[in-house]
Amino acid sequence: MTPPIKEILIDRSELQRRIAALAEEIDRVYAGEELVLISILKGSVVFLSDLMKELHLDVEIGFLYLSSYRGETAFHSGVQEYLLPFPEIAGRHTLLVEDILDTGASLAYAWDRCLAKNPRSLKTCVLLVKEGAEKEGVPKADFRGFDIPNVFIVGYGLDYKEKYRQLPYIAVPDISE
Ligand code: IMP
Ligand code: MG
């Protein structure tokens, strides 16, 4: 199951430490409030699962299933949504949980989708921000884990052709095709 790896970019203990710190920040910002976490499938489930275990707030979770990749490493513009029941977020503090900001198309789509439901507040929590990903039209990462170079990575929820999501670290795969 382990892919050919060029480099481990972020190991398991670095991930754990940073996610615990992010959870502390989130606990502080929403102290005394309830929070709805919206996780963007499939990539962010591993992050969501670790993050929510560190939170002391009352949280509800919901999912948005988006796809913006063809299944390999090539990006095609446009985001496709596979409809799932959407949690009730009107009048509630809502936090979008995303694995990575790359082109930003997924987060921008999710942002608009949530905003249309009139949440009490809307913020984003992004584990990885790729270099160059922050630009106009892309929602900013309010809570952010790591800034990383603009390279293709796998692990901790992120896939290459649907594989390697279960790796407990983030790695640069050695893909020569
Ligand atoms: P976007 O380009 O910011 O819309 O990112 C879309 C989605 O593509 C992310 O939620 C990830 O699931 C996936 N993605 C982006 N960059 C990578 C990568 O380096 N490896 C694997 N998946 C990625
Ligand atoms: Mg993917």
Side-chain angles (χ1 to χ4, degrees):
M1 183 277 291
T2 308
I5 283 172
K6 264 196 206 136
E7 184 194 355
I8 294 194
L9 207 58
I10 308 171
D11 69 22
R12 194 174 196 159
S13 62
E14 278 181 277
L15 282 165
Q16 281 166 348
R17 270 202 308 275
R18 186 69 195 114
I19 289 167
L22 278 176
E24 260 183 48
E25 255 186 77
I26 294 169
D27 270 339
R28 251 196 327 271
V29 169
Y30 297 98
E33 309 279 353
E34 277 182 25
L35 183 63
V36 186
L37 301 171
I38 307 274
S39 155
I40 303 177
L41 296 174
K42 303 178 192 169
S44 76
V45 280
V46 181
F47 177 38
L48 172 77
S49 146
D50 283 350
L51 179 71
M52 66 187 285
K53 282 180 278 185
E54 300 286 337
L55 290 171
H56 297 93
L57 301 165
D58 283 330
V59 298
E60 180 176 332
I61 59 171
F63 299 92
L64 259 181
Y65 191 173
L66 304 183
S67 167
S68 64
Y69 267 69
R70 262 200 202 95
E72 300 182 28
T73 58
F75 174 75
H76 67 102
S77 63
V79 174
Q80 187 181 357
E81 177 176 359
Y82 301 95
L83 279 181
L84 294 173
F86 202 83
E88 187 50 70
I89 62 167
R92 306 177 72 192
H93 292 297
T94 303
L95 182 63
L96 270 168
V97 177
E98 176 61 312
D99 51 0
I100 190 167
L101 208 51
D102 183 7
T103 66
S106 304
L107 197 63
Y109 181 99
W111 179 269
D112 291 345
R113 185 85 162 80
C114 289
L115 213 55
K117 303 267 179 196
N118 298 312
R120 178 162 165 205
S121 71
L122 183 60
K123 287 186 189 292
T124 67
C125 178
V126 180
L127 181 64
L128 308 162
V129 178
K130 273 193 188 173
E131 199 183 337
E134 288 169 295
K135 45 186 182 269
E136 230 186 288
V138 175
K140 86 173 172 17
D142 297 301
F143 303 95
R144 59 200 285 153
F146 300 88
D147 291 336
I148 62 163
N150 189 9
V151 289
F152 188 80
I153 52 169
V154 295
Y156 205 72
L158 293 153
D159 70 303
Y160 171 62
K161 297 186 181 177
E162 291 302 326
K163 286 207 294 209
Y164 314 129
R165 293 191 196 274
Q166 81 250 49
L167 296 175
Y169 50 81
I170 303 226
V172 181
D174 193 1
I175 300 166
S176 34
E177 280 178 17

